Amino acid sequence: MSSLPLVFEAPKRGLPPRHFADLAPDERKGAVADLGLPAFRADQLGRHYYGRFETDPRTMSDLPVQARDAVKDALFPDLLTEVRHLETDSGTTRKTLWRLHDGTLVESVLMRYPARGDRAERITVCVSSQAGCGMACPFCATGQGGLKRNLSTAEIVDQVVAAARTAQDWGRDMRGSQALRGRLSNVVFMGMGEPLANYGRVVAAVRRLIDPAPAGLGLSRRSLTVSTVGVVPAIGRLAEEGLDVTLAVSLHAPDDELRDSLVPVNTRWKVAEVLAAADNYAAHTGRRYSIEYAMIRDVNDQPWRADLLGELLARRLAHVNLIPLNPTPGSAWDASPQRVEQQFVRRLEARGVPVTVRDTRGREIDGACGQLAANGA
Ligand code: SAH
C-alpha cells in the first residue's frame, strides 16, 4: 500500500508562457493594446479561439498581416503538442497524449455518446489539471507517480478547445450517417491531478469554459464537473465562487479507517467533514453532488459498507457513481465481481440513494479512470 506523502504545493518551476486563454476579458484588452492593436481585436481573437477553435493567428485572415506574428508570439504560444492519440470503443473514445512546453506529458480523453431515444448526444472531455498528482491514492496510477507541476489556466482550457475541435471534425466526418452534431457538451476534471490543489488556475479555466463567446466557450455550468479527493477548505471556497458547476467527491470508503489508506487526504479531513462540505456546496447550487466510489474486490465492496454508505447518504442531495476499479500496474487490487457490484447497488437503492455504474470506456488504451499516467511517450 502507498506510503507516498501528500503534496499540496506544486513545484513553482515550469509554467508555460502566457497565453490568450490565461486572460480574463479585461486583461485581454490590455494585452492587445500592448501590441499596439485596438481593443476590438481582443473580441476578434476570442471569436477565432473560443468560437472556431483556431489557435494560430497566422491563419486568421481578418487579422492585419503585419500583426499576425506579433500576436502569435505574445498571445498564442504552442502549449500542447500532440505526441499521439489512440482510439477505442469503435472510435467513440480517444485518448490524446500531449507534450507541454517543458517536455512534461499529460493526457486527456474524449468520449462520444450518441443520441439515444430522447437523450441528446453527449460529447465529454476528461481533462488534466496537474501534471501528475500529489494526493497519493494507492489505487490510482497518476497518484502513484507523484506531482510534477500545476498546469496553467491556458493549458487546461487548451485541452478543452482541442477536444471541441476534434468533436467538430467528428460531426463533419459523420454528417448524414448518424444524428451527430459534433458539439462538445461536457467537461470533467477527472484526468490527471487534483483540481482543487491547483485552485486558482482551475477556477479561472472554468470561467473561460462558461463565459459565452467571444469571452469563452459558452458551455453550460451544470455540464462541467469538478472532481476532488475532498480538499475541504477548497470545496468551501468553490461554493462561494458562484460557478455552480457539478461537484464530484471521490469517497471510495464510508468509514475513516479504510478511507485513511485509500484516499490519504482523509487523514486531514474526515468523511463527515467532506460530506458536510459537499452538503454546503449543494445548498449553494441546489443540485445534487456525486460520490465517486471505485469498487475494489474485498477491499471496499462488502455489504456492510454498502449499508453504511447508504445510511450516510440517505438524506443527502447526493448520488453515487460506482466505478469498476481499473487495475493499475503493480497493484494487487482488482475490480469487484459483477454480482458483488449488483448487490452493492441494491443495498444503496434500498435506502433510497440514486446509483449509477460508470461504464469502462477507454480501458484498452489505458484511457480509463486512474490510468492516465502518461508514461508511454
Ligand atoms: N483528483 C481528482 C480527480 C482525478 S481522478 C479526484 O480524485 O477526484 C477521477 C476519478 O477516478 C476519481 O474518483 C478517482 O478516485 C478515480 N480513480 C482513480 N484511479 C482509479 C482506478 N484505478 N480505477 C477506478 N477509478 C479510479
Side-chain angles (χ1 to χ4, degrees), residues 7 13 20 28 33 53 61 80 96 116 121 126 162 207 218 222 249 254 268 273 319 322:
V7 180
R13 66 182 143 75
F20 187 72
R28 285 201 290 263
F53 323 129
S61 54
L80 308 179
T96 308
R116 204 175 285 144
E121 164 193 280
C126 177
R207 293 192 197 284
R222 56 182 53 202
V249 175
R268 293 264 188 111
E273 293 172 89
H319 92 272
L322 293 182

Side-chain angles (χ1 to χ4, degrees), residues 295-363:
M295 294 287 286
I296 314 176
R297 184 201 288 254
D298 298 332
V299 173
N300 65 352
D301 62 355
Q302 302 82 356
W304 73 265
R305 282 206 161 90
D307 293 345
L308 183 56
L309 183 64
E311 278 157 31
L312 276 180
L313 300 180
R315 280 161 298 282
R316 299 188 128 103
L317 206 55
H319 92 272
V320 175
N321 197 207
L322 293 182
I323 316 171
L325 181 82
N326 285 301
T328 53
S331 163
W333 287 334
D334 202 358
S336 306
Q338 242 179 19
R339 181 182 46 78
V340 174
E341 186 180 278
Q342 284 161 4
Q343 193 186 50
F344 209 90
V345 170
R346 277 197 300 275
R347 284 180 177 259
L348 288 171
E349 285 176 344
R351 283 162 179 77
V353 178
V355 192
T356 48
V357 179
R358 171 94 51 89
D359 67 14
T360 53
R361 285 286 184 103
R363 274 206 167 175

Side-chain angles (χ1 to χ4, degrees), residues 139-140 189-191 193-194 227-229 250 252 292 325-326 369-370:
F139 56 89
C140 173
F189 286 79
M190 294 187 181
E194 166 52 42
S227 180
T228 177
V229 287
S250 298
H252 303 311
E292 310 288 295
L325 181 82
N326 285 301
C369 310

Side-chain angles (χ1 to χ4, degrees), residues 180-319:
L180 187 76
R181 292 166 60 217
R183 249 191 75 134
L184 182 76
S185 54
N186 296 66
V187 179
V188 297
F189 286 79
M190 294 187 181
M192 301 169 79
E194 166 52 42
L196 298 189
N198 186 15
Y199 186 88
R201 296 182 189 88
V202 165
V203 165
V206 167
R207 293 192 197 284
R208 298 287 79 73
L209 304 185
I210 292 172
D211 284 347
L217 278 168
L219 295 169
S220 98
R221 294 159 186 270
R222 56 182 53 202
S223 68
L224 311 182
T225 300
V226 171
S227 180
T228 177
V229 287
V231 185
V232 165
I235 296 173
R237 265 177 91 186
L238 191 64
E240 301 296 329
E241 303 279 354
L243 291 171
D244 291 353
V245 295
T246 302
L247 179 72
V249 175
S250 298
L251 201 68
H252 303 311
D255 53 309
D256 287 318
E257 192 185 347
L258 178 58
R259 194 167 190 267
D260 278 349
S261 61
L262 286 185
V263 186
V265 82
N266 199 69
T267 56
R268 293 264 188 111
W269 296 288
K270 298 295 175 194
V271 170
E273 293 172 89
V274 173
L275 292 180
D279 288 344
N280 172 59
Y281 189 87
H284 274 75
T285 62
R287 289 192 303 113
R288 278 182 202 288
Y289 55 92
S290 74
I291 293 291
E292 310 288 295
Y293 200 103
M295 294 287 286
I296 314 176
R297 184 201 288 254
D298 298 332
V299 173
N300 65 352
D301 62 355
Q302 302 82 356
W304 73 265
R305 282 206 161 90
D307 293 345
L308 183 56
L309 183 64
E311 278 157 31
L312 276 180
L313 300 180
R315 280 161 298 282
R316 299 188 128 103
L317 206 55
H319 92 272

Side-chain angles (χ1 to χ4, degrees), residues 90 92 112-115 121 171 173-181:
S90 315
T92 59
R112 169 157 54 87
Y113 302 85
E121 164 193 280
D173 289 351
M174 303 184 64
R175 191 169 296 153
S177 62
Q178 276 186 35
L180 187 76
R181 292 166 60 217

